Amino acid sequence: MTSPFFLSVAIAAPIPKLFDYLPLAETDMSHYQAGLRVSVPFGSRVLTGVIVSIHQNPQYDPAKLKPISELLDATPLLPSDIYQLGHWLSEYYHQPIGECLSLLWPVLLRKGEKAQASKQTFYAPMPHQPDPSTIKRAPRQVDLLEHMKQASQQTGQWQKDLVKAGFTPTIINGLVDKGFLEKQERDSFQPIKGECSHTPLTLNQEQQQALTSIEQNQGFKSFLIDGITGSGKTEIYLQAIAPHLEQGKQVLILVPEIGLTPQTVQRFAQRFDADVLLLHSKLNDRERLDAWLMASKHSSNTGRGQIVIGTRSAIFTPLPNLAMIIIDEEHDQSFKQQDGVRYHGRDVAVVRAKTLDIPIILGSATPSLECLHNGLSGKYQYLRLTQRAGSASMPELQILNIKKQAVHHGLADSLIQPIQDTLDKGQQVLVFVNRRGYAPTLYCPDCAWIAECKRCDAKMTLHQKPAHLHCHHCDSKLNIPRQCPECLSHKIQAMGAGTERLETHLQYQFRNTPVIRIDRDSTQNKHAMEELLEPVHRGDPCIIVGTQMLAKGHHFPKVTLVIMINVDSGFFSADYRAMEKTAQLILQVAGRAGREKDKGVAVIQTEFADHPMLHLLKEESFHALSLALLDERKHQHLPPYGFQVLLRADCHQPKEAEMFLHRVRQLLNQHQQGLNLPQISMIGPLPAPMELRAGRFRSQLWISAHQRKVLHFFIGVVLKDIYEVKGFHKVRWGLDIDPVDNI
């Protein structure tokens, strides 16, 4: 008689344990292996889990165990390197294994869907067609054949596109029956076909030295390309991946923002005869699964999914022939997940590259201090580019003191003429303000009332298109009041300027010039970004008004004047990273100017023109500023010279989260004394900088150490006790390992 066996299953729940289940009736151990998805009963629900192990010693009485509901896969969908990466996530970020393994799947696979690509009907012309005169009495069929020829669709067209063009299924099937068309079922999701229309550019000496260093490497190595804006980092990426693509291998390129993908895709598709796959959050769940399957089933003889470009979560995509990883704009905070498992895509990418023994390239004009430290200390190979590619030169950075200047709608009057002069030369202007909406808030001059969100410690942003008040933290929306709710005054007015207000002001000042606004509101639709930027890439004289979405990666050859409004507020933040983030933002925005033969100018409009860090940035470089900030961090034992964990808690009830963290702090103190770890330090509990957010009161506890191993050992020891803290069942809490902000 076969010995009974049990399945340990990981389920995406905030519980740090595995769950034992019985196998299906009339199955034996050969039907199961680690990595298979299963449907399991979990309380009153049926959830999708992953088998982690098969064993013969259950945690509980076998009589109380339930059988799984369904075995969803015949073989594991995840290769061993991705499965291993999920376990590393759980160990490093101290998160439940079920939640970490769930991250590795597209949404539909988490819901138990089959791992099958969706199909759609496709009609292709038959290679040997009958005599066209046989359908001369069917004019609509003749029109359909002509339509397919005029559309230059020699390979055929999708049924949905033909129906959209006005051809009914009856017309289409008539041509199939007569032998003119062949009906096929093809994968719905199609990669972007490589054009191979552009040839490699000639590299300057610095670029060539960087490329040679990368090409001479064998196996795993991390390269940090610290190159000023416009120095040709992308061209190095393109030439570095070329040998791998010629061998039928795959490459993965991570970018921080969805808005960067169209331009990035274009550069790669125009260079190589290889298919390009996009993976980002604007794909619907079905498209995401189809792209994931196409990438994971790539083989050297299919050519499908050779170049995969995506945002943060694309790092978990199975790529059987992966040969290189590239992280563009590695400094960007978008690579850090801000809820659930708070992983950092850049750091996970380095771990994946090491596991696969392949090179990884991290590029930025303003490297994070952590990566710069790794480069300077030799952990990463440090490649520095100090000159722009081609004939372009760095823009002139100017500081405009507006303390005694007239300012209307956020823009100094003295800047109107430089904008006009730039447009008269047939060039483009970029006006940057990191506030979307019409104005940061609404206020009453009679009683000083300010429109504030009732669910957050934040002001409501005024929008005009459409007109409403909007909290960008909890998404609350209100109608704009006609009078002050406090004193009933009718004098309420907008305070400050956002992208909408600047757009309106510039449209009035420059009536004959297009003003293009780029922010999260104007780019919500799938292809909105490409459509809005079309005249910019075409080179038409125009004014671009935008937020941080324009601060990185974009190449606008005709932009020669950049104006930055309200970028220096970060110099006065309590966040120790604020200086680094602000300097990065200023340099990234300034770098959009003068990227080709025309000289660029970047103007910082500020009320704090005498700030020493601003002048250090202007007169020396970001590199000099970074070295000064690294020296400060070293004396204060802050990252990268120290390591941190942020324990966050929140609750609908005031003080409840803080009381929970006080109890946790007591436990931590007891463990610290028992383990004799004086190098562990703690700050808090403290209210979060925005204590009330989305109706929940938030509190924080900081835990630090000079050594990473000591800190992780301590967290590993105390974590079980934190889960067992009683009496705070309404408090939500989570760990943030290596936090990048404290909001």
Side-chain angles (χ1 to χ4, degrees), residues 312-366:
R312 180 179 60 234
S313 61
I315 189 57
F316 302 121
T317 307
L319 299 166
N321 289 293
L322 185 59
M324 178 176 281
I325 300 174
I326 295 171
I327 313 289
D328 196 26
E329 309 291 354
E330 65 77 21
H331 69 278
D332 198 280
Q333 284 192 78
S334 300
F335 286 120
K336 174 74 171 180
Q337 174 75 16
Q338 294 295 354
D339 53 31
V341 181
R342 293 175 178 258
Y343 68 92
H344 201 301
R346 178 196 64 210
D347 299 341
V348 176
V350 173
V351 172
R352 185 173 183 187
K354 186 175 182 179
T355 301
L356 294 174
D357 194 28
I358 60 172
I360 179 170
I361 302 173
L362 304 107
S364 176
T366 54

Side-chain angles (χ1 to χ4, degrees), residues 53-73:
S53 65
I54 303 164
H55 57 91
Q56 295 178 326
N57 298 304
Q59 303 175 58
Y60 303 102
D61 181 358
K64 295 181 179 180
L65 298 181
K66 298 178 181 179
I68 64 171
S69 302
E70 185 181 0
L71 181 61
L72 297 173
D73 307 313

Side-chain angles (χ1 to χ4, degrees), residues 444-485:
C444 173
D446 288 345
C447 71
W449 168 83
I450 293 178
E452 295 181 332
C453 178
K454 294 180 179 179
R455 303 180 68 236
C456 303
D457 290 333
K459 300 177 180 66
M460 300 284 280
T461 300
L462 174 64
H463 287 255
Q464 294 283 28
K465 302 173 184 179
H468 69 287
L469 291 171
H470 192 169
C471 176
H472 293 158
H473 300 281
C474 70
D475 208 33
S476 296
K477 297 178 183 178
L478 296 173
N479 293 328
I480 299 174
R482 296 187 176 184
Q483 59 190 46
C484 174

